[in-house]
Amino acid sequence: MSASYAYLGPEGTFTEVALRTLPETATRELVPMVSVPAALDAVRNGEAEAAFVPIENSVEGGITTTLDELVAGRPLMIYREVLLSITFALLVRPGTELSEIKTVTAHPAAQPQVRNWLRNNLPDVLWESAASNADGARLVQEGRYDAAFAGEFAAARYGLVALETEIHDAENAQTRFVLVGRPARPAAPTGADKTSVVVWQRDDHPGALLELLQEFAVRGVNLMLLQSRPTGEGIGNYCFAIDAEGHISDRRVGEALMGLKRVYPQVRFLGSYPRAEVDPKDVRPPRAGMSDSEFSAASDWLARCQDGRF
């Protein structure tokens, strides 16, 4: 397998900037891909060791293309996550004035983060989506659009200038990226971990979502993301992408996953991995009765009862 990381390209994307924060990229070839599916398929086909793709942003939530690929494609596993603060620049060809801009482009996920700025500054502009923000910059360079929303760092790479900078509708906007590889044993727990799964509902009935949530709640497992996605099998058929605090080796998390698998016909494990920018000492401890030692003590008690040693 190639010692390379595929990522959503072309060069100059926020994805590339986030990827380069990982120390191991110094020893990997970084290969830009035209789309998230192409990056993930490079891993599935053995053309890349891992893929680095956006999965969530703090303005619009989950990146549906990434979620759907992880749900529907051949199984892959998340190994790392990176958080990157996002602010946009309006990139144009040299000499372009704001009043001359009639068309703009960027990745679809960028639009909700600059919508108000557009309304206030370019209310009549025509928006068209690009495969990525950097690809939008490339299209402006080629003369196909007047401007692109992208990282200011992309301007020099595509011979553009930043007409406006620090554009964002929401303060402290962030995008979460994940490093995805082929399924293997998860890394050891760090004390500040996250576990991701996808659960397919058995049928649509009253209380179905509550039943799912109770598998986590009764074991004191906090959920960090819960997003429904259509299965493609008709209206009302959904699966749920879930991020939960903790590691699969934690007894409370492991038992919650067993509970899901017992009740639901299909559960896909997407990985247990370190939470970005979280120190283990800052993680809230399990509530009373939910620590690994308490699970072990309860298991030992049950064994003694079964042996008549209570």
Side-chain angles (χ1 to χ4, degrees):
M1 183 181 298
S2 172
S4 63
Y5 284 175
Y7 69 93
L8 176 61
E11 294 180 350
T13 57
F14 287 110
T15 306
E16 181 189 8
V17 172
L19 173 57
R20 290 186 180 277
T21 66
L22 298 180
E24 63 266 32
T25 57
T27 60
R28 302 293 194 278
E29 178 188 6
L30 305 186
V31 182
M33 308 297 287
V34 297
S35 65
V36 167
L40 296 178
D41 281 343
V43 179
R44 292 185 174 111
N45 299 332
E47 299 164 3
E49 178 184 354
F52 193 77
V53 293
I55 195 169
E56 181 186 7
N57 71 62
S58 60
V59 176
E60 285 287 284
I63 307 296
T64 56
T65 300
T66 302
L67 289 173
D68 290 347
E69 279 295 312
L70 292 176
V71 167
R74 279 180 285 159
L76 293 170
M77 203 166 92
I78 299 171
Y79 289 91
R80 297 279 294 278
E81 69 173 10
V82 172
L83 296 179
L84 184 71
S85 295
I86 301 293
T87 185
F88 292 92
L90 186 68
L91 305 187
V92 299
R93 293 180 295 277
T96 302
E97 301 290 337
L98 191 66
S99 60
E100 298 172 326
I101 297 174
K102 306 302 180 186
T103 58
V104 297
T105 187
H107 188 273
Q111 189 174 24
Q113 302 181 61
V114 300
R115 185 183 294 126
N116 291 334
W117 188 94
L118 271 175
R119 184 184 300 116
N120 294 331
N121 295 274
L122 294 169
D124 299 321
V125 76
L126 175 65
W127 171 287
E128 291 196 25
S129 295
S132 69
N133 297 315
D135 193 53
R138 179 185 63 80
L139 294 173
V140 172
Q141 179 189 45
E142 294 176 356
R144 294 175 57 181
Y145 298 98
D146 297 327
F149 288 102
E152 186 177 0
F153 48 80
R157 187 165 298 186
Y158 292 98
L160 305 176
V161 295
L163 191 59
E164 300 280 349
T165 61
E166 296 295 319
I167 299 172
H168 48 74
D169 289 350
E171 294 288 341
N172 304 315
Q174 290 184 309
T175 294
R176 182 166 71 101
F177 301 84
V178 289
L179 185 70
V180 179
R182 293 173 124 180
R185 181 183 294 274
T190 66
D193 301 290
K194 180 183 293 185
T195 293
S196 298
V197 296
V198 180
V199 181
W200 280 258
Q201 62 181 2
R202 186 182 299 276
D203 55 55
D204 186 16
H205 63 271
L209 180 58
L210 177 61
E211 292 169 359
L212 185 155
L213 297 175
Q214 284 177 330
E215 295 295 337
F216 294 98
V218 299
R219 297 172 177 90
V221 178
N222 186 46
L223 298 188
M224 308 176 72
L225 178 144
L226 174 65
Q227 181 165 344
S228 63
R229 295 298 302 150
T231 63
E233 298 176 357
I235 297 296
N237 289 291
Y238 294 94
C239 61
F240 296 92
I242 298 169
D243 287 346
E245 284 185 342
H247 193 278
I248 192 172
S249 65
D250 298 337
R251 290 288 293 270
R252 66 188 185 282
V253 176
E255 290 208 6
L257 297 186
M258 285 194 293
L260 289 177
K261 186 60 180 173
R262 187 181 67 251
V263 175
Y264 294 91
Q266 188 176 358
V267 179
R268 175 173 287 193
F269 175 64
L270 293 180
S272 288
Y273 47 95
R275 291 170 58 187
E277 302 179 8
V278 176
D279 192 299
K281 68 177 174 30
D282 296 326
V283 174
R284 175 181 49 205
R287 72 172 192 240
M290 298 300 170
S291 68
D292 279 6
S293 61
E294 288 164 318
F295 269 97
S296 295
S299 179
D300 291 343
W301 172 83
L302 180 62
R304 291 196 305 273
C305 290
Q306 291 169 332
D307 290 342
R309 295 183 288 112
F310 55 90

